[in-house]
Amino acid sequence: MPGNKYNRSSGVPSTRVERLLREREFRKSSRNSQEPNAVEVDSVDTDLNYSGVWDEELIDTPAALRSLAEGIDRRELRQTKQRLLVVANRLPVSALRRGDSWSLEISGGGLVSALLGVKEFEAKWIGWAGVNVPDEVGQKALTKALAEKRCIPVFLDEEIVHQYYNGYCNNILWPLFHYLGLPQEDRLATTRSFQSQFDAYKKANQMFADVVNEHYIDGDVVWCHDYHLMFLPKCLKEYNSNMKVGWFLHTPFPSSEIHRTLPSRSELLRSVLAADLVGFHTYDYARHFVSACTRILGLEGTPEGVEDQGKLTRVAAFPIGIDSERFIRALDLPKVQDHIKELKDRFAGRKVMLGVDRLDMIKGIPQKILAFEKFLEENPNWRDKVVLLQIAVPTRTDVPEYQKLTSQVHEIVGRINGRFGTLTAVPIHHLDRSLDFHALCALYAVTDVALVTSLRDGMNLVSYEFVACQESKKGVLILSEFAGAAQSLGAGALLVNPWNITEVANSIEYALNMPADEREKRHMLNFIHVTTHTAQDWAETFVSELNDTIVEAQLRTRQVPPVLPMEDAVDRYLQSKNRLLILGFNATLTEPVESPGRRGGDQIKEMDFKLHPELKEPLEILCSDPKTTIVVLSGSDRSVLDENFGHYNMWLAAENGMFLRLTKGEWMTTMPEHLNMDWVDSVKHVFEYFNERTPRSNVELRETSLVWNYKYADVEFGRLQARDMLQHLWTGPISNAAVDVVQGSRSVEVRSVGVTKGAAIDRILGEIVHSKCVETPIDYVLCIGHFLGKDEDIYTFFEPELPAEPVTTTRAKVASDIIKTTDRRFSQKLSNNRSGCKTSHNRNQKASVAPERRGVTNNGDGVWRSSQENIAWHEGSSVLDLKGENYFSCAVGRKCSNARYLLVSSDDVVTFLKELASASR
């Protein structure tokens, strides 16, 4: 935003980074001013008892924004709590029914662990309690019990859970997101068909949305979590478009080539894009998501996120953390110290290696154990000096694949212990159960080497927990490069490919023999990251970014024109005496084409421009009105316009207005005579070269311009090719040529300087005036089109309220050249017309203009001059008697526009022109 638009001072945080930095410093100062809390967090009550942030209602007021921007201490403002609705598939508690009452216990899991200790928000959890409660009495009792824990239940029946959770979530999405692919037909048959699972998934997401809507209060932040709720952002935004919605994925997001195999890929992506902020653990996952949106949906990927018709969904990486202080404090507890002493006595004289994982296919437990076996094979001197403690927490024990994995792990452990064990000691201690918090902290503290060999993992907080408990031991972390934590702890950990058994075995040997000084350096790198990037910082950062994303969206919305007021435009049309309708063609009067463009039929359909069939009758009616003049102004060549509009009574302006004809007459050129086209051949060769090397691209050869379109090519490859093309053009064929390079969203156009729709419209108007012998001033103008930014000067040409601007020397010279050429071309025709027309608007009379426009006219080159500077060729603008309320400029499908109004697509153009024709009739 321009700094002077809001009269900001130099110290004002005008950018997103400045605002977030200011917010971060404030949070740090507020946290430091609070007394440290040494009490261990053990209950959901205290875990979710967040302290205050700023009232959103206060922040949204202009005075508060101004105070914040000018750096006033926010502690002077009223402080209150911002409510945070955390929506996850499971609540952070497990419910157990005992007659008419319920007992609640805190659950385990990455999200619960990550949010322990977050104290900056008044949070409420919304989710499924993990039990089926069909009776109303039980539901009321459970709701009341959960309310004491700040939890709100979503009641799912057994059939929904079976199809939604066990089926679509765990049988479809989870394997796909972890690169295991879609299940085969035999596995699908066990949980019915794919479509029924997807229907249940959508139904369950809608049930979550209904509960959120019931408890939502204006200003709340709704934070949706994980792949179970990908449909939820769309459901929430349909309920309230102003709701602040964030979505975070706790698993990897696969590459677009993997995600595109999902039948419901597009629907899920668009549902997630309804959120204001989409978060991932690592940049890789965020990059994969943006790539999927560009390749599958055909949307525009930007460094900040994904843009769809001007609506930006911010996409960013937010590495999750843990409550490190909770683990550090726990080491001093007597119960933990007793465990530590017991473990040290138990494994005295042996190095302790540790693995803590869910017994899951992606955790790489068999690979870890096989690597340990290879280490023992190659290092016999270590066989009685090291022990591997593997904690494998059972999960989904009713699924055959997991049962098979359990048997496989037990078989490998038994074989290794039988091979390398003795009567008094075995090399592997394997536990098929979880440990309580205190025992786990003690185990972390005595470990020398932690071994995390995930085959694919969203983050893996075990590595963080191990580092937090290693302040005295300074053990070594061996970490899979396929875990998200490798992006955060890679500097201090030993990164390995878990599939390479030899590499992992060598890393184990290196870790056990690592010098003390290197161990300390590596540990410090990890420890600093774990203690600074905590769960509290993660949650605060995400919510802060979400709040700022909303602020930025509001700032962008202020610059976005409103939707065209069709009723007002029709009323003004009927009241006017002489109307001018200027209509674009492509994406305005044509049928809409789906954007992905992955099928050849769509590409052919879009290249073969055809008038929307529902517009034929409305155009006939409008063209037959003697008070209405219609001009179709397009970048297409003459043959395309002739084919689609040849039988209508209208004006056709092809190639951005450089060729003009009334459909009853012949084509004439409005190009300046001095227009140099010597550059065409050299640019044509360059375009053809890149067209041959970019599959599914095409070149359009026009008389005044050349266009290379790569909309249907691979998005990333097309951009690279376009960049190379532009570099070559600017340093070679067009380095000294009088041309403009116009970049569309996925096209490159080279045209002569001065070839724009705005530069041509005044000459077109002059021709129309003298051809029709106009006597009544034009008092109504409607200009609708999907124009490139270069051509949006046509909107400002007619703008009655546009202020005058100084004319630069260069632009004045270009305008002067065009003026001289056009004067010569039109002089004879205009003098002939003048003798046969009884019009009061001739070159020797003053222009008839509206009061707010009097003394200011436009030369068609985008430069406004006073009437004293007008030159004779401004015959077109002299017939305008246009007031602001009678001018309707409207961009189609573009939200960043100079137009006054917007229409979303050509379907809306059809609707409006039908209303206009009906009223005209």
Side-chain angles (χ1 to χ4, degrees), residues 241-258:
S241 60
N242 295 322
M243 189 181 293
K244 298 178 181 180
V245 179
W247 183 79
F248 194 92
L249 182 66
H250 292 270
T251 69
F253 192 90
S255 70
S256 59
E257 289 303 305
I258 297 293

Side-chain angles (χ1 to χ4, degrees), residues 332-349:
D332 296 328
L333 297 176
K335 186 185 294 187
V336 177
Q337 286 295 322
D338 291 342
H339 279 300
I340 292 176
K341 184 178 185 303
E342 180 183 347
L343 289 170
K344 285 183 176 179
D345 293 341
R346 175 70 178 82
F347 299 111

Side-chain angles (χ1 to χ4, degrees), residues 535-720:
Q536 183 174 351
D537 286 316
W538 169 71
E540 289 173 352
T541 301
F542 186 91
V543 177
S544 176
E545 288 263 9
L546 178 56
N547 283 325
D548 192 77
T549 298
I550 300 297
V551 171
E552 280 209 338
Q554 292 170 348
L555 293 176
R556 283 195 302 272
T557 302
R558 293 174 189 172
Q559 305 172 61
V560 173
V563 175
L564 177 68
M566 295 187 183
E567 185 176 344
D568 185 40
V570 172
D571 290 342
R572 293 289 176 180
Y573 176 88
L574 295 177
Q575 296 172 19
S576 60
K577 299 178 181 179
N578 191 2
R579 310 126 179 179
L580 174 65
L581 274 57
I582 300 174
L583 307 176
F585 180 41
N586 185 25
T588 304
L589 303 180
T590 58
E591 290 186 87
V593 178
E594 291 298 325
S595 56
R598 290 291 168 252
R599 300 167 184 84
D602 290 340
Q603 184 174 2
I604 293 174
K605 183 178 179 181
E606 181 161 308
M607 292 172 62
D608 187 20
F609 300 124
K610 294 292 184 182
L611 177 66
H612 199 298
E614 295 184 29
L615 279 176
K616 294 181 179 180
E617 183 179 354
L619 285 180
E620 288 280 5
I621 296 172
L622 293 173
C623 289
S624 62
D625 189 339
K627 296 182 180 180
T628 303
T629 301
I630 297 181
V631 180
V632 174
L633 180 56
S634 172
S636 302
D637 58 34
R638 289 172 282 180
S639 61
V640 173
L641 298 188
D642 281 336
E643 181 181 352
N644 285 279
F645 303 98
H647 60 285
Y648 294 101
N649 181 24
M650 62 171 58
W651 289 84
L652 304 179
E655 299 203 22
N656 300 304
M658 294 299 102
F659 296 95
L660 178 70
R661 84 172 177 107
L662 184 62
T663 48
K664 298 177 181 179
E666 299 296 327
W667 283 102
M668 66 187 75
T669 179
T670 64
M671 287 188 295
E673 292 179 358
H674 77 289
L675 207 62
N676 188 338
M677 302 296 292
D678 294 340
W679 52 268
V680 171
D681 288 338
S682 57
V683 172
K684 177 182 175 183
H685 291 317
V686 174
F687 275 24
E688 290 175 344
Y689 173 87
F690 282 93
N691 187 58
E692 292 171 359
R693 285 152 182 79
T694 310
R696 305 183 79 171
S697 65
N698 66 285
V699 177
E700 296 179 44
L701 304 177
R702 302 171 182 171
E703 292 190 45
T704 59
S705 65
L706 296 177
V707 180
W708 180 63
N709 191 316
Y710 58 94
K711 178 176 182 179
Y712 291 93
D714 179 271
V715 177
E716 295 178 7
F717 182 64
R719 287 175 181 163
L720 291 174

